[in-house]
């Protein structure tokens, strides 16, 4: 019987795992044996892949010139990036190289392809299932012929999704410059904000200011066939920030609440998960009081256009400072259809439509609230717009012991005659306007032509606007609910000529109840109040000072920064003082 003996075991003197190269016997060493790296993703079932241009290993290994794909910018174009690591994309040590004749050989076929029966446009019900379509007869020589194969427009969908690879690279600038002196305290993602909930009871009316005119119901009967021109109405309407409001300063002295803000600022915070464009809120903590303010000239003073569209309007990209002659990747946009121009145009339309759609001369008479407009000084000579301010108190406490109340200055634009007493909050109306610029322009979001669809297919127009302007409509609805308005009037206003952004016409006006419209938009006020309570608690934990809540321009994230007290106030004075000191030193 043959004996069995164990082979000698050579331990690794280095203490590592596996055999050591230092004491490996010669008969076990893999000497002069080529090794080819492989990957689990390799197609091992193919012994010859004639379609894989990304790994022409024979040419690369033999030093033959590499054919560059003009579309991809390298060997094999876009497919070259996927096989770069190892495996099928690397030169194989076992490949057979024979390129002496192939590099100098080419086939030229000038014979026209024989015409086939049938074409891409067939009669009857079209091509049968599973058949291959060929281009029409008479296609130019050199054009792509034959079946729609790899790389053809039929497979890529033509111009559908054009420059999709570039859209994600279009970065926006922040609404405020983040200074190095600022310190970031908190960062919250939108998906966390969307899970918050807080039920809030009906508010308490503190006081009312201003004067309201009656809404002109004749605008409800306007159609595309009886359109009216939008007029320029010169009226004064104030949009004062929280800290500069004299009424709020009086309420602070009475200590009626802990948080003070306006409906415009609060609606942005409550609808934050829907926002795409950047924004910022200045938060000032003095003692136990919080003030949510806006910056002058910030994003709160203008109205966005198609913010939530798949391809929203773009501003022209700034020139590259390193290469001023470089052509921008983003196509040149006409100035009237850029994001900034459309925002200013929409703001102009909203203001003038609200001024125009009220009856200033009685009957019906105007209604004065308990106090006159607090911002209208005796030296003002221009007439006031129809606007009423209602200061309302909301309780954000979860338990009865908690004393967290927020005072909100809300606005209403008119009242509806015959709906009750406006002084008691009955029949109040807010007026807003949606605008159409050019259905064929970049950023239109696939909106149908209002003049042809608004009367016959209003549902399609409304659905498109709810998709493209989800954030804007949600903010308007929240503002109307906060103000206690019973109706919200939305005008559909279009350009008289798509290439002229100075003349507009009113095509229609829709009337809806804010609470019902909020349900259609899937706007949750409980979620909005949960966001407000979360930000309030976050700021109450911080020491006294000034903070800025900033929406990231390119990510669904908000960040809380601590800033110096002098930020946004007196910057120009400080700069002038520094200039004067510099001149004195000279």
């Amino acid at each position: 019987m043959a004996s069995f003996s164990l082979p000698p075991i050579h331990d690794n003197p280095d203490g590592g795992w596996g055999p050591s190269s230092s004491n490996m016997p010669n008969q076990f060493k893999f000497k002069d044996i080529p090794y080819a790296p492989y990957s689990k993703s390799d197609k091992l079932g193919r012994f010859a892949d004639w379609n894989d241009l990304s790994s022409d290993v024979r040419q690369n290994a033999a030093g033959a010139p590499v054919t560059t794909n003009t579309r991809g910018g390298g060997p094999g174009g876009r497919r070259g990036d996927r096989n770069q690591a190892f495996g099928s994309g690397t030169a194989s040590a076992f490949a057979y190289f024979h390129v002496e004749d192939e590099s100098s050989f080419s086939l030229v076929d000038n014979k026209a392809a024989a015409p086939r029966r049938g074409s891409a446009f067939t009669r009857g019900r079209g091509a049968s299932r599973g058949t291959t379509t060929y281009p029409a007869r008479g296609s130019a020589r050199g054009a792509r012929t034959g079946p729609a194969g790899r790389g053809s427009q039929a497979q890529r969908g033509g111009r559908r999704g054009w420059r999709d690879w570039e859209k994600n690279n279009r970065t926006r600038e922040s609404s405020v410059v983040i200074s190095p002196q600022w310190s970031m305290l908190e960062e919250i993602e939108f998906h966390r904000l969307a899970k918050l909930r807080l039920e809030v009871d009906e508010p308490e009316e503190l006081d009312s200011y201003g004067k309201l005119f009656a809404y002109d119901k004749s605008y409800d009967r306007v159609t595309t066939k009886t359109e009216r021109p939008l007029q320029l109405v010169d009226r004064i309407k104030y949009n004062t920030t929280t800290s500069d409001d004299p009424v709020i300063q009086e309420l602070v002295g009475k200590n009626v609440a802990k948080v003070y803000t306006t409906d415009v600022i609060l609606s942005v915070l409550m609808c934050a998960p829907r926002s795409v464009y950047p924004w910022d809120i200045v938060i000032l903590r003095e003692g136990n009081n919080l003030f949510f303010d806006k910056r002058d000239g910030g994003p709160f003073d203008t109205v966005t256009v198609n913010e939530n569209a798949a391809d929203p309007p773009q501003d022209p990209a700034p020139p590259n400072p390193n290469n001023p002659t470089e052509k921008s990747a983003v196509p040149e946009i006409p100035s009237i259809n850029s994001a900034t121009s459309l925002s200013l145009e929409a703001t102009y339309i909203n203001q003038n439509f609200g001024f125009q759609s009220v009856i200033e001369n009685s009957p019906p008479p105007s209604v004065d609230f308990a106090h006159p407009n607090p911002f209208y000084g005796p030296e003002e000579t221009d007439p006031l717009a129809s606007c009423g301010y209602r200061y309302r108190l909301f309780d954000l406490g979860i338990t009865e012991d908690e004393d967290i109340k927020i005072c909100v200055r809300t606005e209403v634009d008119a009242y509806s005659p015959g709906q009750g007493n406006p002084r008691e909050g009955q029949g109040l109306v807010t007026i807003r306007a949606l605008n159409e610029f050019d259905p064929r322009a970049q950023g239109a979001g696939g909106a149908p032509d209002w003049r042809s669809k608004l009367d016959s297919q209003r549902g399609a127009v409304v659905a498109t606007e709810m998709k493209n302007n989800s954030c804007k409509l949600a903010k308007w609805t929240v503002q109307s609910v906060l103000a206690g308005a019973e109706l919200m009037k939305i005008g559909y206003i279009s350009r008289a000529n798509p290439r002229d952004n100075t003349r507009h016409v009113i095509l229609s006006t829709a009337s809806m109840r804010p609470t019902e419209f909020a349900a259609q938009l899937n706007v949750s006020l409980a979620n909005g109040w949960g966001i407000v309570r979360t930000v309030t608690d976050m700021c109450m934990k911080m020491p006294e000072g000034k903070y800025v809540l900033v929406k990231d321009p390119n990510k669904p994230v908000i960040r809380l920064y601590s800033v110096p007290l002098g930020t946004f106030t007196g910057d120009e004075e400080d700069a002038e003082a520094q200039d004067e000191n510099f001149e004195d030193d000279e």
Side-chain angles (χ1 to χ4, degrees):
M1 173 181 271
S3 62
F4 175 74
S5 60
L6 291 173
I9 298 176
H10 302 278
D11 294 330
N12 193 338
D14 302 330
W17 177 262
S20 173
S21 59
S22 59
N23 58 359
M24 176 70 70
N26 291 330
Q27 64 267 26
F28 293 135
K29 289 187 177 179
F30 301 102
K31 191 175 182 180
D32 299 329
I33 297 180
Y35 167 72
Y38 70 95
S39 169
K40 291 182 178 180
S41 62
D42 280 348
K43 305 293 189 300
L44 299 180
R46 296 181 184 177
F47 59 88
D49 188 358
W50 305 109
N51 295 322
D52 188 8
L53 301 179
S54 61
S55 56
D56 194 356
V57 296
R58 297 177 301 167
Q59 290 188 6
N60 296 342
V66 179
T67 304
T68 302
N69 189 329
T70 57
R71 180 173 291 276
R78 296 179 183 176
R79 297 190 56 181
D81 296 338
R82 281 184 274 176
N83 300 325
Q84 284 182 356
F86 49 84
S88 61
T90 57
S92 174
F94 307 104
Y96 171 70
F97 308 112
H98 182 73
V99 293
E100 290 84 6
D101 298 331
E102 293 182 9
S103 59
S104 59
F105 178 75
S106 62
L107 176 64
V108 179
D109 185 10
N110 294 327
K111 187 164 51 176
R116 287 179 168 270
R117 289 191 177 183
S119 65
F121 305 99
T122 56
R123 294 184 181 179
R125 295 188 179 182
S128 60
R129 184 179 302 172
T131 58
T132 304
T133 58
Y134 289 82
R137 188 179 303 173
S139 58
R141 181 181 298 173
R144 289 178 178 167
T145 58
R150 180 171 55 87
S152 66
Q153 279 198 344
Q155 188 177 6
R156 289 186 289 109
R159 292 179 62 85
R160 184 179 179 184
W162 184 64
R163 299 185 92 103
D164 274 345
W165 56 273
E166 199 176 69
K167 290 174 186 174
N168 294 332
N169 297 329
R170 297 177 184 174
T171 57
R172 301 183 182 90
E173 297 295 331
S174 178
S175 60
V176 61
V177 179
I178 308 298
S179 172
Q181 286 79 23
W182 297 7
S183 58
M184 191 181 73
L185 306 176
E186 295 285 348
E187 179 177 287
I188 308 178
E189 296 85 1
F190 280 0
H191 66 84
R192 292 167 56 194
L193 293 178
K195 299 176 182 178
L196 302 173
R197 292 289 183 276
L198 177 63
E199 297 293 339
V200 175
D201 297 333
E202 285 297 315
E204 174 190 349
E205 182 95 13
L206 294 177
D207 221 336
S208 58
Y209 293 76
K211 181 179 182 180
L212 287 182
F213 296 115
Y215 172 74
D216 190 352
K217 293 185 178 180
S218 65
Y219 284 88
D220 291 340
R221 299 187 292 271
V222 174
T223 64
T224 55
K225 296 181 176 61
T226 61
E227 60 185 34
R228 295 190 186 182
L230 182 69
Q231 301 171 0
L232 175 60
V233 183
D234 190 10
R235 296 290 182 270
I236 296 179
K237 187 174 182 180
Y238 296 93
N239 188 17
T240 310
T241 187
T242 309
S243 300
D244 297 338
D245 190 333
V247 179
I248 287 183
Q249 296 299 331
E250 292 180 9
L251 297 175
V252 171
K254 298 177 182 178
N255 198 21
V256 299
K258 285 190 175 181
V259 186
Y260 300 88
T261 184
T262 66
D263 58 347
V264 176
I265 300 172
L266 194 64
S267 65
V268 171
L269 190 57
M270 295 177 73
C271 302
R274 294 174 180 252
S275 60
V276 177
Y277 289 164
W279 48 264
D280 58 275
I281 298 176
V282 181
I283 303 174
L284 183 64
R285 179 172 180 191
E286 294 180 351
N288 288 329
N289 295 327
L290 276 182
F291 298 90
F292 290 88
D293 283 315
K294 68 178 184 66
R295 294 183 299 106
D296 289 337
F300 293 96
D301 296 331
T302 54
V303 180
T304 62
V305 177
N306 287 3
E307 176 179 356
N308 300 94
D311 184 19
Q314 300 286 334
D315 280 325
N320 186 353
N322 299 322
N323 188 6
T325 60
E326 179 184 3
K327 189 175 182 180
S328 173
V330 181
E332 288 296 327
I333 304 171
S335 57
I336 62 171
N337 292 333
S338 64
T340 303
S341 299
L342 289 173
S343 180
L344 295 175
E345 181 182 355
T347 306
Y348 161 83
I349 290 172
N350 263 275
Q351 290 182 352
N352 285 278
F353 179 67
F355 300 160
Q356 181 179 342
S357 58
V358 295
I359 304 174
E360 296 186 353
N361 301 320
S362 58
S366 60
V367 174
D368 292 317
F369 278 170
H371 305 280
N373 193 309
F375 312 112
Y376 192 71
E379 68 278 0
E380 297 285 352
T381 57
D382 293 333
L384 268 173
S386 173
C387 184
Y389 301 100
R390 305 180 73 195
Y391 292 83
R392 316 185 84 196
L393 191 65
F394 296 84
D395 189 357
L396 301 183
I398 301 176
T399 63
E400 295 182 358
D401 298 334
E402 280 188 320
D403 184 21
I404 300 181
K405 295 182 179 179
I406 179 170
C407 175
V408 186
R409 185 192 76 207
T410 63
E411 296 182 19
V412 290
D413 299 310
Y415 78 94
S416 182
Q419 300 293 329
N421 186 3
R423 296 184 182 89
E424 298 177 358
Q426 299 170 348
L428 298 177
V429 178
T430 56
I431 303 174
R432 303 291 186 266
L434 293 169
N435 62 301
E436 178 191 42
F437 51 102
D438 187 353
R440 296 177 299 277
Q442 184 272 333
D449 183 21
W450 286 4
R451 284 177 171 80
S452 60
K453 303 294 184 183
L454 200 53
D455 291 338
S456 59
Q457 300 180 17
R458 180 181 290 265
V461 176
V462 174
T464 306
E465 292 302 313
M466 289 171 64
K467 176 176 67 75
N468 293 338
N469 293 290
S470 171
C471 183
K472 177 169 69 174
L473 290 172
K475 288 188 291 187
W476 289 349
T477 307
V478 169
Q479 292 169 19
S480 301
V481 173
L482 292 175
E486 292 185 359
L487 289 175
M488 182 168 62
K489 303 287 185 179
I490 297 183
Y492 292 90
I493 300 176
S494 177
R495 293 176 180 172
N497 185 339
R499 298 182 180 180
D500 185 3
N501 64 344
T502 59
R503 295 183 301 112
H504 301 85
V505 292
I506 304 170
L507 301 179
S508 180
T509 304
S511 179
M512 53 201 67
R513 298 192 177 275
T515 52
E516 298 175 0
F517 193 52
Q520 294 180 24
L521 286 168
N522 199 21
V523 174
S524 172
L525 290 172
N527 173 241
W529 286 121
I531 297 173
V532 175
R533 175 64 193 266
T534 301
V535 174
T536 300
D537 292 344
M538 191 190 310
C539 296
M540 284 297 187
K541 295 177 183 177
M542 307 296 176
E544 292 189 36
K546 181 176 285 190
Y547 306 90
V548 180
L549 190 67
V550 180
K551 156 73 171 66
D552 188 279
N554 302 299
K555 298 177 182 178
V557 172
I558 58 174
R559 299 185 179 93
L560 182 67
Y561 292 90
S562 174
V563 301
L565 278 175
T567 310
F568 309 128
T569 57
D571 292 342
E572 298 177 357
E573 297 175 1
D574 295 340
E576 292 175 359
Q578 291 178 2
D579 293 341
E580 292 176 0
N581 295 334
F582 180 75
E583 292 175 358
D584 294 338
D585 293 341
E586 290 182 346

